[in-house]
Amino acid sequence: MRDEQTELLEKYEPLFYRVLVDCRIFRKNPDYEDYLQTIRLAFIEKNQSLDLASDEQVTLLYRYLCWRVRDLQRRQQRREALLEKLTRYEVDQEIALESRIEWEDYLERLWPKLTIGEQRYLFSRLCLGLSMSQIMAAYQVSRSTVLKWKRQLAKRFTKT
């Protein structure tokens, strides 16, 4: 089974490289190997449900792999943009530089572990300065949902 998968991966390796090039990910990109590995894993998952003898199926596979890579790129761009905004936010001018650096490092490590709701709440409050009612309107959620996000964040910050 392992040899079959290895042979299949080697056979479709040029397709993987084509997907990367079409998604504008080149060898100089620091995440190149990560994207390539993601493509390989997605290929193995999808291969179980496709019959690759047909050219039509290979085209579908190509589109699927491109979609996965672009989805990863979008998530990474959103995360980076949000982290950049969070780290530029001036919480208080009197905070010592060491404390600020620690806070930014903590947020950068914590961000991927947060739920979407917690990220929304944190971003809305810190970066945009929105009130509770503005957050409710922006995300079209109830007050209890926003309070839940806030409680979850408070729980995370008191744990560590």
Side-chain angles (χ1 to χ4, degrees), residues 30-116:
D31 298 324
Y32 181 84
E33 289 297 323
D34 294 335
Y35 281 113
L36 185 58
Q37 191 64 23
T38 301
I39 289 172
R40 289 175 180 144
L41 291 172
F43 171 77
I44 290 171
E45 289 173 10
K46 198 67 171 171
N47 179 45
Q48 296 169 356
S49 63
L50 290 177
D51 174 26
L52 294 175
S54 159
D55 285 343
E56 186 176 298
Q57 293 294 316
V58 174
T59 303
L60 287 174
L61 176 66
Y62 168 79
R63 289 181 182 165
Y64 172 76
L65 295 175
C66 283
W67 173 79
R68 287 289 297 263
V69 169
R70 288 184 181 123
D71 187 47
L72 281 172
Q73 287 175 315
R74 278 192 296 272
R75 275 194 244 149
Q76 186 176 9
Q77 286 171 351
R78 271 191 242 124
R79 187 178 302 123
E80 287 172 0
L82 201 46
L83 278 173
E84 184 178 320
K85 286 181 182 179
L86 285 172
T87 55
R88 277 191 281 143
Y89 180 72
E90 299 293 328
V91 178
D92 188 7
Q93 294 296 334
E94 297 175 14
I95 294 177
L97 181 61
E98 295 85 22
S99 298
R100 183 177 172 142
I101 290 170
E102 288 174 11
W103 174 249
E104 289 174 358
D105 182 52
Y106 179 70
L107 266 179
E108 193 169 326
R109 284 183 285 121
L110 178 69
W111 193 260
K113 298 175 186 172
L114 297 177
T115 65
I116 296 294

Side-chain angles (χ1 to χ4, degrees), residues 9-27 32 35-36 39-40 58-59 61-67 69-70 73:
L9 284 172
E10 288 173 2
K11 178 180 177 184
Y12 286 96
E13 197 79 9
L15 177 70
F16 305 158
Y17 294 131
R18 184 69 200 164
V19 167
L20 289 171
V21 168
D22 288 349
C23 292
R24 305 285 189 253
I25 300 171
F26 304 105
R27 288 193 187 274
Y32 181 84
Y35 281 113
L36 185 58
I39 289 172
R40 289 175 180 144
V58 174
T59 303
L61 176 66
Y62 168 79
R63 289 181 182 165
Y64 172 76
L65 295 175
C66 283
W67 173 79
V69 169
R70 288 184 181 123
Q73 287 175 315

Side-chain angles (χ1 to χ4, degrees), residues 110-127:
L110 178 69
W111 193 260
K113 298 175 186 172
L114 297 177
T115 65
I116 296 294
E118 292 167 338
Q119 291 175 357
R120 287 177 175 177
Y121 182 81
L122 200 57
F123 175 73
S124 299
R125 291 294 291 166
L126 292 179
C127 294

